[in-house]
Amino acid sequence: MSYEEKGTWVYLVVSALTFLGYVGVVLSRAGGEVRIAEVSYVAPLLWSIGISVGLAIVGRIAFEMARPSESHKADVRDRDINRFGEHVAGGVLGVGMVLPFGLALAEAPHFWIANAIYAVFASWAVFGAAVKLVAYRRGF
């Protein structure tokens, strides 16, 4: 497994888990008298993004310490797979951003717009990493 593939695995896992953690926190704050759109979401959202960045860095270092790679430089195959994954995932991002744009045009509460943007970015990250991992395993 190349250095870049290991990084993609870490990115996939961290992106998915931090988004699910954020959703869990927000849903746990809702209920009873508090409607979901009234939940205080800004701090958990920012913490989720920060934790995601930090865990991706620490996870990649830990993965590399546990299973060192022969080289830390991306080769031609790594660059082609990265380009392919970003190209495919870019479609998800472009189409997905229609949702928050529509919410903004409809003057929806900030809660829904912010969460739609975060959900689209998390989907883009997970989908892009998954496409890259499939390309690593099966070719493209």
Side-chain angles (χ1 to χ4, degrees):
M1 186 182 305
S2 73
Y3 177 73
E4 295 297 324
E5 186 177 357
K6 290 176 189 174
T8 304
W9 272 108
V10 169
Y11 187 67
L12 171 70
V13 170
V14 166
S15 297
L17 291 180
T18 52
F19 179 72
L20 292 175
Y22 167 74
V23 170
V25 167
V26 169
L27 290 178
S28 70
R29 291 181 174 191
E33 298 289 321
V34 180
R35 294 178 28 197
I36 188 78
E38 297 170 350
V39 169
S40 175
Y41 68 95
V42 175
L45 182 96
L46 295 175
W47 275 105
S48 174
I49 293 169
I51 289 169
S52 178
V53 171
L55 280 179
I57 294 168
V58 171
R60 190 163 184 164
I61 292 169
F63 200 167
E64 193 59 31
M65 289 174 66
R67 302 188 76 180
S69 300
E70 292 179 15
S71 173
H72 294 106
K73 292 185 176 182
D75 60 12
V76 173
R77 182 174 182 257
D78 290 327
R79 285 191 291 271
D80 287 346
I81 287 172
N82 186 53
R83 188 177 308 118
F84 173 70
E86 292 298 322
H87 177 74
V88 172
V92 171
L93 182 63
V95 171
M97 280 299 162
V98 171
L99 176 63
F101 182 67
L103 289 170
L105 291 177
E107 298 180 3
H110 290 160
F111 174 87
W112 294 114
I113 297 169
N115 282 290
I117 291 171
Y118 188 41
V120 170
F121 273 116
S123 300
W124 165 74
V126 169
F127 184 73
V131 167
K132 291 175 191 175
L133 291 173
V134 169
Y136 272 113
R137 297 297 171 177
R138 297 187 180 173
F140 57 100

